Amino acid sequence: DDAVPEPAESVVLTLASSSTYALDPAVAKRSARVDILDNEPVVSVAALDPSAAETKTGEPPDTGLFRISRQRGTGDLRVSFALSGTAKWGTDYVLRANGVTLATTAVTVPENPGYVDVEVVPLDDAVAEGPETAVLSLSAGPAYAVGPDKSATVTIASNKPVVSVAAFDPTAAETSAGVPADKGVFRISQTGAAGNLLVPFKLSGTAKLGTDYTLRVGGAPLAATSVTVPLVPGYVDIELVPVDDALPEAPETAILTL
């Protein structure tokens, strides 16, 4: 008993060849293995509930859940861990164990039932953002060994609207007077909003607004670089209408950036 917490180890005995005997023709019978199990505790972590979400004030929290478990050993065991991921501890979420908010990155794992649950409680930070991750990784300790399941992830969804844009029709062309316009179409979409959402955007590219093209929404000219995306159907189409400027020129681009 070396008093060193460590994973299971193994000893393999392999027979050597000799002129005084022949090895068994079955390769599996030429060696044997004995596994040595440690008697110090081994700890692991899993995401029992890998999904969490921000909620508004007054709404029940939508928490995620890590479970830190132990095998073997007696008495309470203090286990340390590190936090990483795109979400920030204290800004995007807090951790709770047994209903108490954790102030340090360590928890006590009791002998019985052999685990402790750590809740990930998202904070409504009023910042519009995509899903973020909270990663809990077990740290080495003098009183235990870390098993192969040493890291787990909880994903935190934002309760703010998320917007996106796509070129629904990425090709447009100038046409002569009297010929129907060959238009391009941008589609701006939103999810998660409670109602209509005003979305600003920027225009760039080699083509110039007002000189090489105009924008229209619902058949009406769009003068501002913002548009209202309705709750239903959750998107708005912006038509790009080329202007026939009578100048011979190479293809030009119009880029809409949210």
Side-chain angles (χ1 to χ4, degrees):
D1 183 7
D2 54 15
V4 176
E6 56 199 349
E9 299 174 300
S10 61
V11 178
V12 179
L13 186 151
T14 303
L15 298 175
S17 59
S18 172
S19 59
T20 61
Y21 56 81
L23 294 174
D24 193 296
V27 175
K29 295 182 178 181
R30 298 179 188 179
S31 64
R33 171 176 141 175
V34 172
D35 292 325
I36 304 174
L37 301 179
D38 197 20
N39 61 346
E40 276 75 40
V42 177
V43 297
S44 60
V45 64
L48 253 61
D49 184 349
S51 299
E54 296 176 0
T55 54
K56 298 186 182 299
T57 303
E59 295 179 346
D62 183 352
T63 59
L65 190 66
F66 294 115
R67 174 167 286 180
I68 299 176
S69 304
R70 59 181 281 185
Q71 295 177 329
R72 299 192 296 273
T74 58
D76 290 343
L77 183 66
R78 192 69 173 168
V79 177
S80 299
F81 55 87
L83 296 169
S84 60
T86 55
K88 303 301 181 185
W89 179 38
T91 301
D92 297 307
Y93 66 95
V94 296
L95 298 178
R96 285 195 314 219
N98 299 314
V100 178
T101 300
L102 296 182
T104 63
T105 52
V107 290
T108 298
V109 184
E111 181 179 354
N112 289 305
Y115 64 83
V116 64
D117 288 337
V118 179
E119 290 180 297
V120 179
V121 185
L123 299 176
D124 186 9
D125 54 14
V127 177
E129 56 201 350
E132 297 177 302
T133 56
V135 182
L136 188 153
S137 301
L138 298 175
S139 303
Y144 58 86
V146 178
D149 297 325
K150 57 185 178 181
S151 181
T153 301
V154 167
T155 300
I156 303 172
S158 176
N159 61 353
K160 312 300 183 299
V162 176
V163 296
S164 61
V165 64
F168 207 61
D169 183 346
T171 304
E174 295 178 4
T175 54
S176 301
V179 178
D182 184 351
K183 301 170 289 188
V185 178
F186 294 111
R187 175 167 287 182
I188 298 179
S189 303
Q190 61 111 325
T191 58
N196 296 341
L197 187 67
L198 183 64
V199 179
F201 57 85
K202 296 179 181 179
L203 295 168
S204 60
T206 55
K208 304 300 180 185
L209 175 65
T211 302
D212 298 305
Y213 66 93
T214 61
L215 298 178
R216 290 196 310 216
V217 174
L222 182 63
T225 52
S226 62
V227 68
T228 298
V229 183
L231 177 62
V232 179
Y235 64 84
V236 64
D237 288 337
I238 301 177
E239 294 179 315
L240 184 147
V241 185
V243 174
D244 184 11
D245 54 14
L247 296 176
E249 53 199 352
E252 297 174 300
T253 57
I255 302 172
L256 188 152
T257 304
L258 299 177

